[in-house]
């Protein structure tokens, strides 16, 4: 099957922003809703791989984006934990 895009991308970007935000969101949501962890990561993976399917990213863009999203979520949690302890009375 051929998927038609409304416009052809001018360039392929590294990393995929969809992968970065999807995996960062999946990580953060998983901390708050652990029973839904698998669902969050499946959705992040589907959204990410849809970018390869429609031809706007390479697999390497998705892998790097997913890794970056996980790293950013980890750093967010570290900072948030540190700040929350700093302001507790």
């Amino acid at each position: 099957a051929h998927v038609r895009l409304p416009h052809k991308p001018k360039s392929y970007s590294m990393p995929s922003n969809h992968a970065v935000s999807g995996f960062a969101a999946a990580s953060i949501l998983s901390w708050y809703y652990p029973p839904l962890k698998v669902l969050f990561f499946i959705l992040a993976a589907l959204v990410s791989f849809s970018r390869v399917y429609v031809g706007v990213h390479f697999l390497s863009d998705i892998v790097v984006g997913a890794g970056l999203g996980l790293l950013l979520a980890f750093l967010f949690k570290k900072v948030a934990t540190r700040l929350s302890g700093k302001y507790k009375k």
Side-chain angles (χ1 to χ4, degrees):
H2 186 271
V3 178
R4 289 188 155 276
L5 296 176
H7 58 81
K8 185 178 180 180
K10 294 180 178 128
S11 67
Y12 297 95
S13 65
M14 166 75 99
S16 165
N17 289 330
H18 284 80
V20 173
S21 59
F23 278 90
S27 297
I28 293 169
L29 288 170
S30 293
W31 298 326
Y32 291 101
Y33 306 102
L36 299 175
K37 181 182 203 172
V38 173
L39 175 65
F40 295 142
F41 281 100
I42 287 173
L43 289 174
L46 288 173
V47 168
S48 298
F49 285 107
S50 75
R51 311 307 294 161
V52 175
Y53 179 75
V54 298
V56 295
H57 282 291
F58 295 108
L59 184 59
S60 58
D61 301 340
I62 302 304
V63 172
V64 171
L68 185 57
L70 294 171
L71 175 64
L72 289 173
F74 171 77
L75 293 174
F76 171 80
K77 185 175 184 182
K78 287 286 243 186
V79 169
T81 302
R82 190 166 288 173
L83 287 177
S84 68
K86 188 175 184 178
Y87 295 107
K88 283 185 179 178
K89 291 186 178 186

